[in-house]
């Protein structure tokens, strides 16, 4: 099974992962069964991707099935770390494609593989990379102000955490404007952070630069103009348990993913993280 009818992203692998980490292991199979009814069959391949002239097919959604088969073969023939290191810098300039979902899915897959190397998890990485290659969408070539990577590489993981925390913190203020799309401003940099330690350090500066640009593009497109809508009310006393329960009760894929990220921001000391997580469960529609 692949994507929701209408070319919306398949959130099942990412949301199921988040659901388990929020404490919902007992209900994950039931959640997946409900979600599967919304998915189309996986696309079949038509023409093999040329390993030399692959750029000709990059960013072509009609070649999704071909890209999925390509990465299935690549991961069968080479260690997953080698494929990730090769394709991460090729795909990053198109990180904004499908509003960052392919990058987010890649982050979940890489974390899962690092925790336990299985054929199923490697196959999911191939699905994520294939989806990314098919939906690759470059931003204009530029060096945005404020996103120049630091000279000290060890700072980059912290900067990605800060970028994530900033997006989580702004969600409470901006959420009513576009509650679903603004979630990706946080989940995109967090996904890049999940991948960072699995790729060579020389790729870290470009990882930060392209992630920053993709996050900024999402914020620019979906944040409210002017004062925006009134900030929604939240309960006065929130806890990690309350917001996790709210996300699991909503069953919404975006709320599940965002709540996991927001709880990480909360653990790093972000004041508005719990309120942001709670709002995601109350504002987003099932998706």
């Amino acid at each position: 099974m692949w994507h929701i009818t209408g070319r919306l992203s398949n959130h099942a692998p990412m949301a199921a992962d988040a659901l388990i980490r929020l404490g919902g292991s007992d209900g994950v199979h039931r959640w997946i069964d409900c979600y599967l009814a919304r998915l189309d069959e996986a696309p079949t391949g038509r023409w093999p991707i040329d390993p030399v002239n692959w750029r000709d097919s990059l960013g072509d959604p009609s070649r999704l099935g071909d890209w999925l088969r390509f990465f299935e073969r690549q991961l069968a023939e080479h260690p997953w770390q080698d494929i990730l290191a090769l394709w991460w810098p090729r795909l990053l300039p198109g990180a904004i494609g499908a509003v960052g979902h392919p990058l987010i899915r890649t982050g979940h897959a890489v974390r899962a593989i690092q925790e336990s190397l299985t054929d199923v998890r490697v196959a999911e990485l191939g699905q994520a990379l294939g989806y990314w290659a098919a939906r690759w969408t470059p931003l204009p070539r530029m060096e945005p102000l404020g996103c120049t990577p630091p000279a000290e590489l060890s700072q980059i993981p912290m900067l990605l955490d800060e970028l994530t925390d900033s997006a989580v913190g702004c969600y409470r203020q901006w959420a009513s404007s576009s509650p679903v799309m603004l979630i990706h401003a946080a989940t995109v940099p967090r996904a890049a952070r999940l991948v960072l330690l699995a790729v060579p350090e020389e790729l870290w500066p470009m990882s930060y630069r392209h992630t920053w640009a993709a996050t900024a593009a999402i914020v620019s497109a979906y944040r409210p103009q002017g004062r925006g809508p009134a900030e929604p009310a939240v309960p006065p006393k929130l806890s990690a348990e309350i917001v996790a329960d709210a996300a699991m009760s909503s069953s919404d894929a975006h709320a599940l993913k965002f709540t996991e990220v927001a709880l990480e921001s909360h653990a790093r000391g972000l004041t508005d993280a719990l309120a942001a997580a709670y709002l995601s469960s109350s504002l987003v529609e099932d998706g």
Side-chain angles (χ1 to χ4, degrees):
M1 307 293 283
W2 184 244
H3 56 78
I4 301 173
T5 301
R7 291 176 63 193
L8 295 178
S9 299
N10 174 8
H11 294 78
M14 302 173 281
D17 183 27
L19 177 58
I20 292 170
R21 295 171 191 276
L22 290 173
S25 299
D26 292 344
V28 70
H29 292 292
R30 182 170 61 254
W31 187 93
I32 291 173
D33 288 341
C34 292
Y35 197 86
L36 283 176
R38 307 171 61 188
L39 301 181
D40 294 332
E41 293 294 333
T44 58
R46 298 183 299 171
W47 308 288
I49 299 295
D50 187 332
V52 176
N53 298 314
W54 52 268
R55 290 178 179 83
D56 295 341
S57 304
L58 195 62
D60 184 349
S62 71
R63 303 295 301 279
L64 174 58
D66 301 321
W67 278 113
L68 296 177
R69 302 291 85 75
F70 174 80
F71 280 105
E72 181 180 14
R73 293 191 299 271
Q74 292 294 301
L75 288 166
E77 297 171 0
H78 307 282
W80 71 269
Q81 298 96 325
D82 294 350
I83 297 302
L84 181 65
L86 176 64
W87 281 90
W88 180 248
R90 293 175 174 179
L91 295 175
L92 267 177
I96 195 61
V99 200
H101 283 107
L103 169 56
I104 299 166
R105 191 167 175 179
T106 298
H108 280 264
V110 168
R111 176 177 61 176
I113 290 173
Q114 290 180 306
E115 292 175 346
S116 178
L117 178 61
T118 68
D119 291 342
V120 170
R121 296 182 180 198
V122 172
E124 168 57 17
L125 175 60
Q127 294 275 298
L129 295 175
Y131 179 36
W132 196 348
R135 298 302 300 274
W136 186 88
T137 305
L139 289 169
R141 291 182 62 87
M142 60 181 180
E143 187 68 30
L145 294 175
C147 79
T148 303
E152 179 56 54
L153 290 176
S154 63
Q155 295 178 22
I156 292 179
M158 178 187 67
L159 290 175
L160 284 172
D161 286 340
E162 290 179 354
L163 187 59
T164 302
D165 292 347
S166 178
V168 171
C170 290
Y171 187 81
R172 181 176 181 179
Q173 178 185 356
W174 295 341
S176 295
S177 172
S178 186
V180 171
M181 293 303 181
L182 286 168
I183 278 174
H184 304 101
T187 52
V188 162
R190 187 285 195 113
R193 177 69 172 85
L194 293 177
V195 174
L196 198 67
L197 297 181
V199 297
E201 285 191 356
E202 58 263 28
L203 300 180
W204 288 14
M206 71 171 301
S207 299
Y208 176 69
R209 184 171 63 253
H210 287 295
T211 301
W212 190 99
T215 303
I218 293 169
V219 170
S220 297
Y222 297 107
R223 65 167 290 179
Q225 301 301 314
R227 294 178 60 87
E231 186 176 302
V234 297
K237 293 184 179 181
L238 290 173
S239 66
E241 293 74 18
I242 289 174
V243 299
D245 287 344
M248 289 186 285
S249 297
S250 78
S251 295
D252 180 82
H254 285 96
L256 289 167
K257 292 187 296 175
F258 182 75
T259 297
E260 186 201 351
V261 176
L263 288 178
E264 293 173 349
S265 294
H266 171 67
R268 288 193 288 266
L270 183 65
T271 303
D272 284 339
L274 294 181
Y278 187 86
L279 283 176
S280 72
S281 299
S282 62
L283 291 176
V284 300
E285 298 177 358
D286 187 39

